[in-house]
Amino acid sequence: MERLDPQKLYVEFRPGVTTTEPILGRKYTLTHSDITAELFLTIGLQFAYDKITSMRDEVLGEWRNSNSGLFLYIYVYIGDFGSIMNSIRNTIFRRELPLALEAIVYGDNEFFVAHPQLNYAPIWIYFDSIDPSYKRFEYLGTPIDYK
């Protein structure tokens, strides 16, 4: 995994969110450029569907509440691209997810400073695929692991 280059991370806050509020309803859309290696984090009350391409290689996240408390839910689309392409996409997502989580935590740093308890909230990743061997939920640590 590559480490985050903060100079290649661009963060946009959409209407309805500030650098510290809200918690519930806060949504992350992380996209990237294969050419420049730049990362684009959009934080809003809705996912930034206008930034999602047909490649579907974005990382989506949002804060959710459960009986156990708040957690960061992350969604990635492995898809329905055939077994070879699904395998490649799964490998790439797994390799790049730590960088993506580091970008989210770094890009929303003031939020985590304002809500320090969320540094220890669980991160659950949903790998979405029509292929059952890739469709699963996995625990990927806590935000503090990506600082």
Side-chain angles (χ1 to χ4, degrees):
M1 173 197 87
E2 243 183 85
R3 293 292 301 180
L4 177 68
D5 178 352
Q7 293 183 356
K8 290 193 172 198
L9 175 63
Y10 300 91
V11 182
E12 172 190 358
F13 289 89
R14 295 242 167 131
V17 297
T18 68
T19 57
T20 60
E21 297 295 332
I23 297 174
L24 290 175
R26 190 178 201 85
K27 293 181 172 47
Y28 303 101
T29 306
L30 184 69
T31 59
H32 70 280
S33 167
D34 287 329
I35 297 167
T36 64
E38 294 170 317
L39 296 170
F40 305 95
L41 177 61
T42 306
I43 304 171
L45 295 176
Q46 298 177 353
F47 295 115
Y49 292 109
D50 57 305
K51 298 202 175 182
I52 296 173
T53 69
S54 61
M55 291 291 297
R56 293 300 315 269
D57 55 2
E58 72 282 346
V59 173
L60 303 176
E62 68 180 311
W63 287 98
R64 291 187 176 179
N65 205 359
S66 73
N67 292 339
S68 303
L70 291 169
F71 67 99
L72 183 55
Y73 170 87
I74 302 290
Y75 173 92
V76 296
Y77 184 66
I78 303 300
D80 181 19
F81 298 99
S83 64
I84 293 172
M85 186 54 81
N86 287 349
S87 175
I88 292 168
R89 287 174 63 83
N90 183 65
T91 299
I92 292 169
F93 271 120
R94 288 180 179 284
R95 181 182 69 224
E96 299 299 331
L97 265 170
L99 176 63
L101 293 172
E102 187 180 354
I104 290 170
V105 172
Y106 182 89
D108 207 13
N109 185 56
E110 288 183 45
F111 175 78
F112 287 100
V113 169
H115 307 283
Q117 73 280 10
L118 296 181
N119 284 295
Y120 304 95
I123 300 171
W124 286 95
I125 312 286
Y126 178 50
F127 295 89
D128 187 9
S129 179
I130 196 155
D131 185 331
S133 60
Y134 301 117
K135 184 175 188 157
R136 64 187 57 186
F137 274 102
E138 290 184 19
Y139 172 76
L140 229 61
T142 64
I144 199 85
D145 298 327
Y146 300 95
K147 288 197 172 203

